[in-house]
Amino acid sequence: MGLAQHHDAVSGTSKQHVANDYAQRLSDGIDRAIKVINDAYGKLLSKENRTTPIPNQFLCHYSNISVCLPIEEQKQFTLTLWNPTIHPVTIYYRVPVTRQYLIYDPIGNLVSAEYLMIPDTTKNIPGRISSAQNQYVFPASLPALGYSTYYFEEKVDTKKIEHKKVITTTNEECILQNEFLRVEFNNQGYLKHIINLEKNLRVSFTEQGLYWYASYSHVNSTPFSPASGAYIFRPLFPEALPVSVARRINCTKTDTVQSALIIFNEWTSQEFNLYRNASAIEIEWTVGPIPIDDNIGKEIIIRYNTDINNEKKYYTDGNGRQVLERIRDYRPTWHYIPDDPISSNYYPVNSRIWIRDQDRQLTILT
């Protein structure tokens, strides 16, 4: 990853054959790293009372679309999670499964987990080949710069299994709430409010969702007026259009996680997850394949319009390190004339972006 961290590699803004080359290089690097991982894992494991060989570790390359083929139909397997940060963390992890399991933590305690269906928006992703229809969601505690291994053992008598209560609604008002946050959606799938319960602060939203700009086409391009495409974000019109005039919302609530899945159409969706004891909202989006049957290129964006009075100022990271103040249609070192008023106000965001006023701040971490 470090060798291929080119500014067009991970972001996908390069031409397709360049992106394919990066993908191949990353894949080769991952395959070689697996051997290093197995060597290190064998040395880290205790050698006392070891009677069986150490099983090979492998990576689930497609876990972002709920696929892990090597564990499908297995009666038992282990899951090792690594924490690269310098402080201990608790995360909520999802494991796609084809059977029902009991989950044990590193010291043998039974872990409380939710057994949920994988959403159709994920199962219908083109290229997803998996028999997994369900997933386990459970909290995992990881030490600083360390790992934890969880053990999955098949439940023998599934007829006696009592699942936790799951509440689901469709196209109704949806409220997600835990100890720290309250997130409110109306029955049409629009985000209306996020409330910080500790500080009694509210951010209201007038717009939220996926939108698209029509791309400046090659037909009108010149050397001095290039088309939108690889390396260039150049909308044809200043207005972004919603990807759909209507949307559906599915609301799911369990003891561990509460979710609002907003389905715009067959190729775009957005999921808001609020976990127990979490002070932030997890947001996942799914886009594609983008339809181009109309011969119009489409630049997809996510938009949040709030009542925060940020006075045209916003803040983004500089390649994941420093934070820079941005001002719309302004440059601090020269007199700026906004000849591209849309693209000139977009910045690459590797880790974070926020807006704020005197009392409130809305931050998006990537």
Side-chain angles (χ1 to χ4, degrees), residues 108-122:
N109 295 324
L110 189 64
V111 176
S112 177
E114 305 285 358
Y115 183 71
L116 303 174
M117 292 183 61
I118 297 173
D120 289 339
T121 52
T122 298

Side-chain angles (χ1 to χ4, degrees), residues 47-66:
K47 295 180 174 60
E48 296 181 3
N49 301 321
R50 184 187 297 172
T51 58
T52 58
I54 300 172
N56 281 333
Q57 304 296 303
F58 54 85
L59 301 177
C60 290
H61 299 293
Y62 301 104
S63 58
N64 64 325
I65 56 173
S66 298

